[in-house]
Amino acid sequence: MRDNIVKDKSFDFAIRIVKLYQYLNYNKKEFVLSKQLLRSGTSIGAMIREAEHAESKNDFIHKFAIAQKEANEVVYWLELLKATDYLNEKEFENIYNDAITFLKLITSILKTSKNQLVSKEIR
């Protein structure tokens, strides 16, 4: 069976989000923004898992589009946590860069999938 890099990366990213959520709760006593981050950050992997068993190419694209929206939302919550001093520069940079990279990866997969669907329809 072939490795699924996106599936693995989304799971690893979700673990980082859970750990950041725990840190924000216990160390910073921040409960609202961190909960939003937790929901969107763990939802990415859930959508990718759902896409793995999509019923059609359109269903696959739909699931990845949701994952893309969730990844973009993670970027927003991270930026907000940084802007409100819940995360310092060092805490922010690493996970933020990973979130942006992951968002770009999801966007690339989504674009490729849409192009494949359009090419198939044209034939």
Side-chain angles (χ1 to χ4, degrees), residues 4-17 37-51 60 63-75 78 93-111:
N4 187 330
I5 293 169
V6 178
K7 179 179 160 183
D8 295 342
K9 282 184 177 287
S10 67
F11 189 78
D12 292 343
F13 188 73
I15 291 170
R16 290 189 66 197
I17 291 294
L37 177 67
L38 178 68
R39 287 180 179 156
S40 57
T42 55
S43 180
I44 298 166
M47 286 293 107
I48 289 170
R49 289 281 177 107
E50 284 191 40
F60 178 88
K63 301 290 190 237
F64 258 83
I66 294 170
Q68 180 188 44
K69 289 177 183 180
E70 295 294 343
N72 194 47
E73 188 176 328
V74 165
V75 169
L78 290 171
E93 278 300 319
N94 192 274
I95 196 161
Y96 179 78
N97 289 335
D98 284 353
I100 294 293
T101 301
F102 201 47
L103 178 58
K104 288 178 182 178
L105 175 62
I106 291 168
T107 300
S108 176
I109 291 168
L110 197 51
K111 281 183 180 179

Side-chain angles (χ1 to χ4, degrees), residues 2 8 34 40 50 52 65 70 84 91-92 111 116 122:
R2 207 170 81 184
D8 295 342
S34 60
S40 57
E50 284 191 40
E52 193 175 30
E70 295 294 343
T84 55
E91 294 164 335
F92 170 78
K111 281 183 180 179
Q116 288 173 347
I122 291 174

